[in-house]
Amino acid sequence: MRFAACKEIPFRTGKKVAIIGAGPAGLKAAGYLICKGHNVVVYDKLPAPGGLLIFGIPEWRMPKEPIKKGINELKELGVKFVTNTEIGKDITFDEIVSEYDAVIIATGTWKEKDLRIEGENLIGVYGALDFLVKLALYREGYIKDLDINLGKKAVVIGGGNSAMDAARTLIRMNIETIVAYRRTKEYMPAYKHEVKKAEEEGVKFMFLVSPKRILGSNGKVVGIELIKNRLGEIDSTGRPRPEPIPGSEFTIECDMVIKAIGEIPTPPKDLISKGLKVDKRGRIIVDERGMTSIEGVFAAGDVVLGPSEIGKALIHGLEVAKNVDLYLREK
């Protein structure tokens, strides 16, 4: 997977750009700006660049070597990566702004939505993204202890691609897996071929059910209580609203519950207080150039778009990088 827009740099502008986030949008932006002659430094909280491409998507679904090759190409061109560094924690945003001529925020959507039900803090309850990232960190050799209480039977809550990734990963770990989704199969947001593959691999599906509480004993998951739904009126998503059926509760024994009901944009922690504007969903608000409410600070990818596809994040990262280049030349 190539991120660079060139094979060599014909000239240097002397301008410096900081990119916060080494996922698809950040890498694509870095690949364009380095080829325009700007000095590019990419900061990321993980121990290596790649974001979801390396740490969020399972290796069996997306091979990592082509991605690492593209990242190494950026390094050879001169892109500098500063890893294990979180803005607002390890380095302040003010330090970044004072040192660079432009900044691109490309921090994605790393916070998972909570179920907001009883038992969510029990041992054995994990967010799908957190679960997959820990497995990737272990696979890549960055952690020695997996720190996951693996069980024999798991229930995955959700119907998107993250839910499919988690479910198919669990099956590969010889864990009996059920996906519980609140609507019918036709309304699942996951790719149809991913659902089909999950079924072929042994994942069981349960439709028109919602979690009501997670059951525990001695602080650990022992089961989950679900309630049956019926489909109601069309809601803001364009799909029928799932309506709980009173008195239809039932329980399933399990020792793992994976939450996969969506992610939330995660801009750097200390930016909101400095005037960065976000909408009600937590997405950074930008103008037609991709610039935020802070002069010289741009944003790209899922932190602007909300959870999206990799292709969209790559395209958006490139579009914003082009505007950053124009901004630097005008400046």
Side-chain angles (χ1 to χ4, degrees), residues 153 155 178 180 206 215 222-226 250-254:
K153 185 175 181 179
V155 175
I178 298 171
M206 191 173 290
L215 310 175
V222 296
I224 185 169
E225 181 179 336
L226 302 165
F250 66 100
T251 61
I252 297 176
E253 290 185 0
C254 65

Side-chain angles (χ1 to χ4, degrees), residues 182-184 207-210 227-233 240-246 248:
R182 59 182 182 164
R183 294 184 175 92
T184 55
F207 299 105
L208 288 172
V209 293
S210 294
I227 186 167
K228 296 180 180 180
N229 297 327
R230 64 168 69 93
L231 295 181
E233 298 296 322
R241 178 181 290 106
E243 299 176 346
I245 301 173
S248 65

Side-chain angles (χ1 to χ4, degrees), residues 187-207:
Y187 294 111
M188 292 182 74
Y191 298 136
K192 301 303 179 186
H193 66 273
E194 292 292 332
V195 177
K196 183 179 178 181
K197 286 181 179 178
E199 290 176 322
E200 292 171 349
E201 291 168 1
V203 176
K204 299 175 184 177
F205 286 81
M206 191 173 290
F207 299 105

Side-chain angles (χ1 to χ4, degrees), residues 165-319:
D165 283 349
R168 295 178 65 194
T169 296
L170 288 163
I171 284 291
R172 283 165 168 75
M173 300 171 76
N174 296 316
I175 297 172
E176 182 183 351
T177 305
I178 298 171
V179 170
Y181 179 59
R182 59 182 182 164
R183 294 184 175 92
T184 55
K185 183 177 180 179
E186 64 184 299
Y187 294 111
M188 292 182 74
Y191 298 136
K192 301 303 179 186
H193 66 273
E194 292 292 332
V195 177
K196 183 179 178 181
K197 286 181 179 178
E199 290 176 322
E200 292 171 349
E201 291 168 1
V203 176
K204 299 175 184 177
F205 286 81
M206 191 173 290
F207 299 105
L208 288 172
V209 293
S210 294
K212 192 167 183 181
R213 64 184 177 124
I214 301 171
L215 310 175
S217 177
N218 297 321
K220 297 182 179 181
V221 174
V222 296
I224 185 169
E225 181 179 336
L226 302 165
I227 186 167
K228 296 180 180 180
N229 297 327
R230 64 168 69 93
L231 295 181
E233 298 296 322
I234 302 298
D235 63 17
S236 59
T237 69
R239 296 172 293 173
R241 178 181 290 106
E243 299 176 346
I245 301 173
S248 65
E249 294 87 350
F250 66 100
T251 61
I252 297 176
E253 290 185 0
C254 65
D255 44 19
M256 288 184 74
V257 174
I258 305 294
K259 305 178 291 182
I261 59 172
E263 295 84 32
I264 301 170
T266 47
K269 293 180 179 179
D270 64 344
L271 264 67
I272 306 299
S273 62
K274 297 184 182 300
L276 184 75
K277 293 183 179 179
V278 298
D279 64 15
K280 61 182 181 181
R281 295 183 181 179
R283 299 173 297 186
I284 296 177
I285 297 172
V286 297
D287 62 17
E288 67 280 357
R289 301 168 296 171
M291 190 183 291
T292 70
S293 51
I294 303 175
E295 176 69 24
V297 178
F298 296 74
D302 288 3
V303 77
V304 175
L305 305 173
S308 67
E309 299 174 353
I310 291 170
K312 290 182 179 178
L314 289 168
I315 291 170
H316 197 245
L318 178 59
E319 291 174 348

Side-chain angles (χ1 to χ4, degrees), residues 49-124:
L52 290 178
L53 295 173
I54 296 292
F55 298 98
I57 300 174
E59 190 173 26
W60 47 263
R61 189 157 80 81
M62 179 175 284
K64 307 308 173 187
E65 287 310 310
I67 299 165
K68 292 178 181 178
K69 184 177 179 181
I71 292 170
N72 286 333
E73 186 179 6
L74 293 178
K75 292 178 180 179
E76 289 170 1
L77 287 169
V79 175
K80 181 182 178 182
F81 290 94
V82 181
T83 55
N84 286 315
T85 301
E86 189 171 353
I87 309 303
K89 181 181 178 182
D90 301 302
I91 184 173
T92 67
F93 183 67
D94 288 341
E95 290 177 279
I96 296 288
V97 171
S98 65
E99 187 177 346
Y100 294 91
D101 299 292
V103 178
I104 299 176
I105 302 170
T107 46
T109 53
W110 285 85
K111 183 179 179 181
E112 299 185 81
K113 293 181 180 178
D114 292 327
L115 296 172
R116 297 182 181 180
I117 59 175
E118 179 186 337
E120 196 164 2
N121 295 320
L122 289 168
I123 296 171

